[in-house]
Amino acid sequence: MTESTTATISQSGLAEAVFEESGQNVNLCYQCMKCAAGCPISYAMDYKPAQLIHALRLGMDDLVLNSKTMWLCAACETCTTRCPQEVDVAKVMDAVKIIAVRRGIKPAIREVGCFNRAALANIKKMGRMYEVGMIVGLKMRTLALFKDMKLGMKMFMKGKLKLLPSFTGARRTWRIFQRVKTIEKKD
Amino acid sequence: MTAKYAYYPGCSLHSTGSEYDVSFRAVCKKLGISIDEIKGWICCGTSPAHSSSKLLSLALPFENLCLAEAMGLKDVVAPCASCFARLKTAAYEAKEDPKIAEQISEALDKPLPKGMNVVSPLEIFCNRPDISKAPTTPLPGLKVACYYGCLLTRPSKIMQFDECEYPMAMDTILRDMGITTLDWSYKTECCGGALAMTRTDVVIKLTHDILEEAKAVGANAIAVACPLCHVNLDTRQEEVEAEYGVKYDLPVFYFTELMALALGVRADELGLQKHFVSTETLLSGV
Ligand code: SF4
Ligand code: SF4
């Protein structure tokens, strides 16, 4: 078990913001590299998870906030599960994304930011994910109009895509989104 | 004792993963397990929610737990691994942190139910001692690699499900059904699910590695318990083959489809024709 001494947070503004957002203290990290070794996506990242954690500790806030790493993270939770210091690395990834967006920093992997926004807009309006609508929303945002066109057509032919949206719970969901926004503003 | 489960299908099981819904229902019917779909359920928010707002990512799943409780049910079954993880995380975080519980309750404008129990179908079937007596149709030709993916077992602190690096629940169930399953080292590797629509290049690589390993240990089919894994392994298999110049022809089944077949449900009742990689040749040989 890790004894978390929450009083000793680093000087870095971002590390502290991450702590506020996620309850994760990156100063517990002793750079064993297990998170980097197990991360299936680290090959495509500009900084491996352990490096991102270290950069946070060193106060390299700009580097972290503009990194591709957290936007490529697939939230597979391998790092979180294996960290001997019980740093929830996946939660840190989420926290850095949330803070970056809050500070108006454009996601280094643009499509992922677009996807998140398109998906949430879809859920907010519909209550349930309506894939066809979400895909259209994503294409409008990324302008990658023909990406996966063939695949989409085939899925459609196989009856894998729902033609009509369901609006079950749409109003309730919309209200949850609104209330969450109000509570977060208050905080 | 016949427990009744509140059934949370989630968005995928109503669309791209409808075969999972059909086969899960069929297996429950055969085994006499009673499930009741949650009325008015909403999306759990999945990755886009937890990447954007912690509170939203907990409030959306919790709304569904509230609906289940309103039906008088405490046990909630969620077949989609991603929904399962989100529902379970919401219940866990609310229990651990009274402040966040209060905020969730405020966001939903109602009190939160306590003691909700979220399970995966794997847990339900695994805990049935009578299950090995149930199969009626042998499937001797199958050699199945069980692919659990990320979110069924991780993070282990929250999921509390099976052995997190090398789970056996699916293997045990399918073996009880008389189906051969294989040992292999990619059971819980990630297929890149969350990046499916954005960074297809990453998904193609990760999916390739999984298919390659399954083939290498001699599997002629893969079993999954997640609609996102199914999309990547089945729907994109042809793309992987084209990209790497290989041929796998590995049918990808939901584990419930294999159970249903072993329990005597006909293939055409299960919607197997919706799969991209044909299951016909394999199943006609068994
Ligand atoms: S696994 Fe934990 S301790 Fe090791 S490098 Fe990663 S964050 Fe640091
Ligand atoms: S959760 Fe993200 S950072 Fe951690 S191992 Fe998975 S992809 Fe890598």
Side-chain angles (χ1 to χ4, degrees), chain B residues 67-128:
Chain B
L67 296 176
E69 207 220 15
M71 292 162 70
L73 299 171
K74 286 271 178 202
D75 296 310
V76 179
V77 58
C80 166
S82 182
C83 300
F84 173 59
R86 293 319 308 165
L87 291 173
K88 212 149 167 157
T89 303
Y92 177 89
E93 298 275 352
K95 203 167 117 211
E96 292 290 300
D97 181 351
K99 184 169 169 248
I100 199 79
E102 207 173 288
Q103 287 187 334
I104 300 171
S105 164
E106 197 182 332
L108 299 180
D109 199 20
K110 53 187 149 198
L112 301 187
K114 290 206 170 61
M116 297 303 287
N117 179 34
V118 182
V119 296
S120 146
L122 286 167
E123 283 169 285
I124 300 182
F125 301 144
C126 224
N127 292 326
R128 291 188 61 110

Side-chain angles (χ1 to χ4, degrees), chain B:
Chain B
M1 194 196 74
T2 46
K4 191 171 190 175
Y5 295 92
Y7 171 36
Y8 179 75
C11 307
S12 292
L13 270 71
H14 270 213
S15 57
T16 51
S18 59
E19 308 97 290
Y20 198 8
D21 174 70
V22 169
S23 55
F24 173 58
R25 287 176 187 276
V27 171
C28 286
K29 198 164 159 210
K30 282 275 179 194
L31 296 177
I33 295 166
S34 140
I35 53 170
D36 202 350
E37 183 165 330
I38 296 175
K39 285 168 205 71
W41 61 265
I42 60 169
C43 176
C44 73
T46 182
S47 283
H50 71 69
S51 305
S52 310
S53 156
K54 181 177 174 187
L55 181 56
L56 184 67
S57 78
L58 301 173
L60 292 174
F62 233 110
E63 166 73 3
N64 298 299
L65 298 181
C66 293
L67 296 176
E69 207 220 15
M71 292 162 70
L73 299 171
K74 286 271 178 202
D75 296 310
V76 179
V77 58
C80 166
S82 182
C83 300
F84 173 59
R86 293 319 308 165
L87 291 173
K88 212 149 167 157
T89 303
Y92 177 89
E93 298 275 352
K95 203 167 117 211
E96 292 290 300
D97 181 351
K99 184 169 169 248
I100 199 79
E102 207 173 288
Q103 287 187 334
I104 300 171
S105 164
E106 197 182 332
L108 299 180
D109 199 20
K110 53 187 149 198
L112 301 187
K114 290 206 170 61
M116 297 303 287
N117 179 34
V118 182
V119 296
S120 146
L122 286 167
E123 283 169 285
I124 300 182
F125 301 144
C126 224
N127 292 326
R128 291 188 61 110
D130 53 334
I131 202 167
S132 55
K133 291 193 209 90
T136 53
T137 313
L139 299 161
L142 290 185
K143 282 182 281 178
V144 180
C146 292
Y147 176 65
Y148 297 75
C150 310
L151 297 173
L152 278 176
T153 63
R154 286 196 295 260
S156 49
K157 194 168 75 185
I158 297 176
M159 304 313 284
Q160 304 273 326
F161 176 80
D162 209 337
E163 165 57 47
C164 74
E165 297 282 1
Y166 203 79
M168 281 303 289
M170 202 192 306
D171 291 80
T172 310
I173 294 167
L174 293 183
R175 285 177 193 176
D176 277 344
M177 296 269 122
I179 296 165
T180 305
T181 72
L182 306 174
D183 287 318
W184 67 314
S185 54
Y186 271 59
K187 280 186 176 185
T188 59
E189 279 298 317
C190 173
C191 70
L195 299 169
M197 301 230 225
T198 48
R199 285 300 295 265
T200 317
D201 56 319
V202 173
V203 170
I204 297 281
K205 180 203 175 279
L206 299 182
T207 306
H208 163 260
D209 295 350
I210 295 162
L211 292 167
E212 191 72 23
E213 170 72 10
K215 200 84 186 173
V217 295
N220 57 14
I222 295 179
V224 298
C226 170
L228 308 175
C229 301
H230 196 270
V231 166
N232 284 342
L233 292 171
D234 175 65
T235 313
R236 291 210 185 260
Q237 196 173 123
E238 203 182 320
E239 268 175 75
V240 175
E241 290 176 335
E243 179 72 26
Y244 286 85
V246 281
K247 194 87 191 125
Y248 295 118
D249 256 331
L250 267 176
V252 183
F253 295 92
Y254 290 104
F255 80 100
T256 42
E257 290 177 328
L258 293 176
M259 287 181 77
L261 289 170
L263 293 168
V265 182
R266 287 202 329 267
D268 59 337
E269 291 173 54
L270 292 170
L272 290 176
Q273 74 285 352
K274 283 192 178 180
H275 290 203
F276 274 37
V277 181
S278 169
T279 58
E280 244 167 72
T281 323
L282 180 68
L283 292 179
S284 66
V286 300

Side-chain angles (χ1 to χ4, degrees), chain A residues 26 28-37 49-51 53-54 57 78-80 82-89 92:
Chain A
V26 290
L28 291 172
C29 169
Y30 53 43
Q31 287 292 299
C32 72
M33 297 290 164
K34 271 184 106 170
C35 56
Q51 290 176 311
I53 300 278
H54 202 54
R57 303 183 57 193
T78 306
C79 49
T80 297
R82 292 184 186 167
C83 175
Q85 283 294 83
E86 295 188 7
V87 177
D88 192 329
V89 183
V92 173

Side-chain angles (χ1 to χ4, degrees), chain A residues 35 38-42 45 49 72-80 89-90 93:
Chain A
C35 56
C39 175
I41 324 255
S42 69
M45 293 169 169
L72 286 171
C73 166
C76 78
E77 305 279 351
T78 306
C79 49
T80 297
V89 183
M93 297 288 168

